Amino acid sequence: MVFKGLSKASRRLHYFCLVLALGSFVWGYNIGVLASVLVHPGFKSTLNEPTARRSGLITAIYYLGAWVSYVFVTHPLADRLGRRKAAFTGMSIMCAGQALQAGAFGPHALAMVLAGRVVAGLGTAVVSTSVPLYQSEVAPPRERGRYVVMNHVGFVAGLASGFWFGYAMTFWDSDRGLTVAWRFSLGASFIPALLFLAALPFMHESPRWLVEHGHTDLALSTLHFYREGYYTPEEIEAELSDIERSVAVFRISGLTWVSLFSDPSLRARMWRAALLQFMAHMCGATAMKYYLPALFKALGFSHRVSLLAGGIESTLKTGCTVVEMLIIDKVGRRITLIAGAVIMAFALMVNGALPLAYPNNVNRVADFTCVVFIFVYALGFSLGFGPSAWVYGSEIFPTAVRARGLSFAASCGALGSIIVAQVWPVGIASLGSKIYFVFMVVNLAAVPIIYLFYPETKGRPLEDMDRLFSGSPGSSSENLLADREELDQLLR
């Protein structure tokens, strides 16, 4: 009933983008469930009661694997294999990493968990870039934000599921459960992973990737598959022509991925996308995802209630992200980013100030207020950085370097996550609630940066992004676009 009134092709696009969101669901689940695994008695016993620094290492090393993958692996896979096959490969790697973690035992348990985290990070990076790339490249311009945000809906739904599964495992309190429940928690991610892998072969490859690799007929077939019924044949042909022209312009420009850092037009996109991803992780979200149960325990709540509150918070995020999916193509990317940063900054200020005013949980009203504002923080993240950073980065680059651009940008996000995952547990131990003020400043600084330096992209075709960033890629080369003879020859 949700898709009633849509054409058959439009329903296909909705269904497949939702199925693709399962990839991010697995990513989110693995993050959400780790919050309960880190404090599970069986896990702690298997790893000989890891210290705060060691727990931070277990968290952060995942992002080291992701960073390596973003820089060296994701874009070659997405460009050479295509978006679908890259997603398939990435999910397979993620499953191998989860299997290593779930099977950790004996004196080498810590090494197995760390290795599994690195491997899972490698695979996650591939999935987290190839899926939004595919969604942005098959979506109609006026609805692109909504389709790409579906990816983040999958992520936060997975995050919530991870928390809820971890909460459910606390009721398995027999000797057997206290020993192995954390392994079941990690292994449950194989179910959505297998569904994701089974669905990929039924999808068409991205039309932009197909044109880039000389498969124009297949690209036209894909556009008909996803547009027929609500685009006219003429509009579909016109969209294919725009894609061909964009690809041809880039080919005669002589640019390569190195141009992301040397060409003025591409460099303008590269630093914006990279900074946006970095801010999206430095805003404190990584800490909230991994250490949420510990934060609630610090406010005086029991382990089980802390996991319950984490599940509620993540479920709230899912609802807020659905709201973001419905509004992002109407209000735009900039407004949602700025509004989200302001909300997060205010929530972090409250959570930093109240424990200082009422230390040692002497005031339960203050403690409950902190819980409420952790939920408010979740609202801000889900309306801003969470989905919008991926939407913006997936749409501003030309087809030939879109995978590389998004991958390099995401690597900066991974660096931010490594910093936060290491700093947060140590900061909480040494500074207490004052650590919240550090991340509050990051969010406040993001507001003028976004307002001054990030042009709005809503409703623009992907082939039209050049106008926002000082002309076409390679426009610094004399009369590139004026060379119509060479361009027409390529288009033939």
Side-chain angles (χ1 to χ4, degrees):
M1 295 297 292
V2 176
F3 303 140
K4 187 178 179 181
L6 298 176
S7 68
K8 186 176 179 181
S10 183
R11 285 198 300 272
R12 282 194 206 112
L13 186 55
H14 278 81
Y15 285 132
F16 283 139
C17 284
L18 283 173
V19 168
L20 283 168
L22 280 174
S24 289
F25 180 95
V26 177
W27 172 24
Y29 177 88
N30 290 340
I31 289 175
V33 83
L34 187 70
S36 63
V37 168
L38 285 173
V39 295
H40 192 276
F43 179 80
K44 292 166 75 173
S45 175
T46 302
L47 270 66
N48 297 317
E49 302 295 329
T51 62
R53 288 182 181 275
R54 190 160 284 181
S55 294
L57 174 63
I58 291 170
T59 304
I61 203 166
Y62 175 82
Y63 289 100
L64 176 62
W67 181 84
V68 170
S69 186
Y70 283 133
V71 175
F72 300 109
V73 179
T74 57
H75 55 83
L77 281 179
D79 284 342
R80 293 174 190 172
L81 300 181
R83 311 327 189 196
R84 288 182 314 146
K85 291 179 180 178
F88 191 97
T89 303
M91 183 58 72
S92 301
I93 295 171
M94 283 175 69
C95 289
Q98 285 301 104
L100 269 174
Q101 294 172 69
F105 71 99
H108 302 295
L110 177 61
M112 290 182 69
V113 168
L114 292 176
R117 294 284 290 165
V118 171
V119 173
L122 288 168
T124 296
V126 177
V127 174
S128 68
T129 51
S130 56
V131 168
L133 280 173
Y134 184 91
Q135 289 168 324
S136 71
E137 291 178 350
V138 300
R142 61 180 176 268
E143 298 173 322
R144 186 173 56 248
R146 173 155 58 96
Y147 284 110
V148 179
V149 172
M150 282 184 187
N151 185 53
H152 197 73
V153 171
F155 173 79
V156 292
L159 195 67
S161 299
F163 274 111
W164 285 118
F165 201 94
Y167 172 68
M169 287 295 103
T170 64
F171 292 95
W172 190 6
D173 52 8
S174 65
D175 290 342
R176 176 71 172 165
L178 291 174
T179 303
V180 303
W182 66 274
R183 300 183 192 274
F184 281 84
S185 296
L186 292 173
S189 64
F190 291 119
I191 298 171
L194 291 174
L195 291 173
F196 177 81
L197 292 172
L200 284 174
F202 296 97
M203 301 181 192
H204 287 217
E205 185 51 78
S206 156
R208 287 167 174 82
W209 184 87
L210 289 168
V211 169
E212 178 72 22
H213 289 77
H215 306 299
T216 306
D217 291 342
L218 288 176
L220 182 60
S221 172
T222 297
L223 287 173
H224 276 287
F225 186 73
Y226 287 130
R227 302 283 190 271
E228 203 167 23
Y230 71 115
Y231 267 44
T232 66
E234 292 75 20
E235 288 174 324
I236 294 172
E237 292 281 355
E239 184 175 359
L240 179 65
S241 296
D242 286 343
I243 295 170
E244 289 182 290
R245 184 170 296 278
S246 174
V247 170
V249 165
F250 195 88
R251 281 178 180 162
I252 66 173
S253 70
L255 301 177
T256 66
W257 67 266
V258 178
S259 305
L260 286 167
F261 306 97
S262 60
D263 181 78
S265 172
L266 295 180
R267 188 170 60 242
R269 309 177 209 202
M270 187 68 255
W271 74 257
R272 284 175 172 85
L275 180 59
L276 197 58
Q277 284 282 348
F278 186 72
M279 291 190 297
H281 291 267
M282 287 299 295
C283 70
T286 298
M288 291 293 185
K289 286 181 288 194
Y290 281 113
Y291 303 116
L292 197 58
L295 297 180
F296 285 127
K297 286 185 75 174
L299 292 171
F301 297 96
S302 69
H303 170 62
R304 182 173 291 168
V305 171
S306 298
L307 289 176
L308 174 63
I312 294 171
E313 186 263 359
S314 299
T315 303
L316 173 66
K317 274 184 181 176
T318 306
C320 293
T321 307
V322 172
V323 172
E324 168 79 346
M325 182 180 75
L326 298 175
I327 68 172
I328 190 170
D329 287 316
K330 295 181 174 64
V331 303
R333 286 54 161 154
R334 294 171 76 241
I335 290 178
T336 57
L337 283 165
I338 290 172
V342 170
I343 292 170
M344 287 189 291
F346 184 70
L348 289 167
M349 181 188 71
V350 171
N351 272 275
L354 285 180
L356 293 177
Y358 303 99
N360 302 317
N361 309 114
V362 296
N363 189 311
R364 295 307 288 167
V365 173
D367 291 341
F368 280 107
T369 302
C370 286
V371 171
V372 169
F373 276 91
I374 287 175
F375 292 164
V376 171
Y377 177 92
L379 166 68
F381 184 73
S382 298
L383 290 178
F385 281 127
S388 297
W390 288 100
V391 173
Y392 203 91
S394 68
E395 64 187 0
I396 62 175
F397 295 104
T399 302
V401 291
R402 187 169 292 125
R404 289 176 172 86
L406 184 58
S407 296
F408 288 145
S411 72
C412 291
L415 286 176
S417 290
I418 292 170
I419 294 170
V420 175
Q422 285 286 278
V423 166
W424 187 274
V426 177
I428 282 287
S430 57
L431 298 176
S433 68
K434 292 178 184 176
I435 191 68
Y436 284 100
F437 296 134
V438 175
F439 297 101
M440 178 193 74
V441 170
V442 173
N443 283 287
L444 290 176
V447 173
I449 291 172
I450 293 166
Y451 181 79
L452 293 172
F453 299 111
Y454 284 79
E456 184 54 68
T457 57
K458 70 169 183 176
R460 284 183 176 267
L462 293 177
E463 289 69 41
D464 199 33
M465 291 295 169
D466 297 331
R467 300 182 186 180
L468 288 179
F469 299 96
S470 305
S472 282
S475 58
S476 50
S477 305
E478 242 1 86
N479 301 318
L480 171 63
L481 294 179
D483 194 354
R484 294 292 178 191
E485 219 171 278
E486 188 176 357
L487 181 57
D488 290 340
Q489 197 171 19
L490 277 167
L491 287 173
R492 292 192 199 107

